[in-house]
Amino acid sequence: MTTAAFRPTNSIPSLPTMPNGWPIGSYDTYAEAQQAVDYLADANFPVQDVTIVGVEPLLVERVAGRLSWSRVLSAGAASGAWFGLFVGLLLSMFTAGFAWGPILVGLLAGTVFGLAFAAMNYSATRGRRDFVSHSQIVARRYDVLCQPRQAEAARNLLAKLSIGMPAKQAATHA
């Protein structure tokens, strides 16, 4: 059986499954967990045996600002104008010579439709959501797991990370 060069030999499950392995480190931020795995990779550790698990996931919605009719309509007009300009440029490619007509019609029609759709969407909320926000999923902590056959070696390497030993030097002392 042959595998593609870009496909790992130990396939990642396509369906959601519970992670397995022994804990080799626990970190407060994803960046710290990522740094630990990167350290293992730099020390030539088989990182395909490692998994980062976010524990106690939270949905965090950060409010970016208040919505008003002027903000909604200006954003709708700008979005529609960009789409209309794109359509106008495409249509101008199919006319004899360079024509400004399709570009201007696309720009104006896009602006009008962008305004109309933005106004309809905002009025449909009836003031129940007068703010803009961005959502992300974060975890309280991030555990790094490793398959049992390599867990002890991984823990030893991460102990060297905690004392500041460079990965290349840690790999030679493993």
Side-chain angles (χ1 to χ4, degrees):
M1 182 171 122
T2 61
T3 59
F6 53 86
R7 176 180 267 170
T9 55
N10 64 336
S11 64
I12 296 172
S14 60
L15 296 174
T17 59
M18 291 300 292
N20 57 20
W22 291 356
I24 58 171
S26 187
Y27 303 92
D28 292 332
T29 66
Y30 180 75
E32 291 171 339
Q34 194 175 22
Q35 179 187 11
V37 174
D38 188 49
Y39 183 84
L40 293 172
D42 290 346
N44 295 322
F45 184 83
V47 290
Q48 62 272 15
D49 289 344
V50 176
T51 304
I52 299 175
V53 179
V55 179
E56 294 183 41
L58 304 167
L59 174 65
V60 178
E61 184 174 8
R62 291 186 169 80
V63 177
R66 187 181 188 314
L67 274 182
S68 64
W69 273 105
S70 62
R71 189 169 181 176
V72 167
L73 293 178
S74 62
S79 176
W82 277 111
F83 183 72
L85 180 63
F86 174 70
V87 170
L89 285 169
L90 285 177
L91 290 176
S92 72
M93 291 170 52
F94 299 105
T95 59
F98 186 76
W100 285 100
I103 294 173
L104 291 176
V105 169
L107 185 63
L108 290 172
T111 303
V112 168
F113 279 104
L115 275 168
F117 286 124
M120 286 188 296
N121 284 336
Y122 187 61
S123 65
T125 65
R126 295 190 179 131
R128 285 187 304 254
R129 189 162 170 98
D130 283 342
F131 60 92
V132 177
S133 65
H134 307 284
S135 297
Q136 65 181 161
I137 295 176
V138 296
R140 290 206 189 274
R141 76 171 193 272
Y142 296 88
D143 290 343
V144 178
L145 307 180
C146 183
Q147 293 302 313
R149 65 182 172 269
Q150 297 287 341
E152 186 177 349
R155 277 193 207 107
N156 291 337
L157 281 170
L158 292 180
K160 293 174 183 174
L161 169 66
S162 68
I163 61 170
M165 184 181 288
K168 300 293 184 200
Q169 186 179 355
T172 59
H173 289 105

